Amino acid sequence: AEAPPSDPKGSSVNRLDHILEQRRRQVWALLAIAAVACGLLIADMTRISGERYRLKLLQNTVQGAANEMMALVMNAQLVASIGATGIIDVGLWQDGKDNTLLAKIGQALDADSVFIFNRSGIVNAAWNQNSTQSVGINISHDPYYREAMDNKNSVHATVHPGSGERGIYFSTPLRTSTGRPIGALVAHTGLKRL
């Protein structure tokens, strides 16, 4: 029995098919790796984009808070300027009544309330945005009272004597012509603004 003659063309085709099949598998493997790499890259880019967005939101929030704090500092400086210029003279307010002058000061400072207390720490005149009555309240226990009686401007966080709400208080002493403190002008801003 004689062996069939070998077909050189057939074995070349089989070998070529075998090589092409191996290459196809390699190509598919490379495509799968590339697809996974692209997916990871897209996921990372999405994460970075989200982080940048959150960072921008945080920066905007911080900038807004900084602007609010700057406004509060400016209010403190305005209160001190009012005291320094002497435009709040002892006789300009009306004892025991809400006062138009205090309302104008409060609106100019964007304050929640403005009041004047005497040397004993009793509120003599007041303006409150929410109509809370502060006249007659004794605030001699508050730090801004003590500092005003020491002839100092001050800024303090404490509780409003009339409403019981927490807030920031800017105060400046009211002085006689000799410079002796006889009371103080106080502007209050609620903490909810921050």
Side-chain angles (χ1 to χ4, degrees):
E2 204 173 295
S6 65
D7 182 7
K9 245 183 181 182
S11 81
S12 295
V13 170
N14 286 342
R15 195 194 282 145
L16 184 60
D17 282 342
H18 180 67
I19 292 172
L20 287 176
E21 185 62 31
Q22 283 180 337
R23 297 286 181 203
R24 265 187 285 224
R25 287 182 190 154
Q26 289 173 349
V27 167
W28 280 111
L30 285 175
L31 286 174
I33 290 170
V36 168
C38 285
L40 291 173
L41 182 62
I42 290 170
D44 197 44
M45 289 172 59
T46 302
R47 180 189 57 79
I48 290 170
S49 176
E51 286 176 359
R52 285 184 180 154
Y53 175 74
R54 286 187 297 279
L55 180 61
K56 187 67 174 169
L57 284 177
L58 181 60
Q59 288 172 335
N60 289 342
T61 301
V62 167
Q63 184 63 47
N67 290 343
E68 279 290 322
M69 290 303 292
M70 182 57 74
L72 292 175
V73 168
M74 295 302 293
N75 283 353
Q77 292 172 343
L78 285 171
V79 169
S81 297
I82 289 168
T85 60
I87 64 170
I88 299 290
D89 190 354
V90 177
L92 289 180
W93 70 79
Q94 301 168 356
D95 282 353
K97 298 180 182 174
D98 283 348
N99 192 292
T100 304
L101 179 59
L102 294 181
K104 288 180 182 178
I105 292 170
Q107 291 161 355
L109 297 175
D110 194 24
D112 292 338
S113 63
V114 177
F115 52 95
I116 294 177
F117 60 83
N118 63 23
R119 180 115 181 108
S120 301
I122 306 297
V123 175
N124 284 358
W127 169 82
N128 294 292
Q129 261 188 359
N130 64 5
S131 301
T132 302
Q133 184 55 265
S134 299
V135 173
I137 294 175
N138 185 341
I139 52 92
S140 62
H141 59 281
D142 287 321
Y144 54 86
Y145 163 80
R146 290 187 295 278
E147 292 203 16
M149 293 304 99
D150 286 340
N151 221 0
K152 297 177 187 172
N153 296 320
S154 68
V155 178
H156 286 281
T158 189
V159 176
H160 187 276
S163 68
E165 293 179 15
R166 295 183 184 275
I168 297 178
Y169 293 78
F170 308 96
S171 68
T172 187
L174 300 175
R175 303 171 184 95
T176 64
S177 59
T178 61
R180 184 177 65 88
I182 56 169
L185 170 71
V186 179
H188 160 259
T189 298
L191 287 178
K192 63 183 175 273
R193 290 182 58 195
L194 298 181

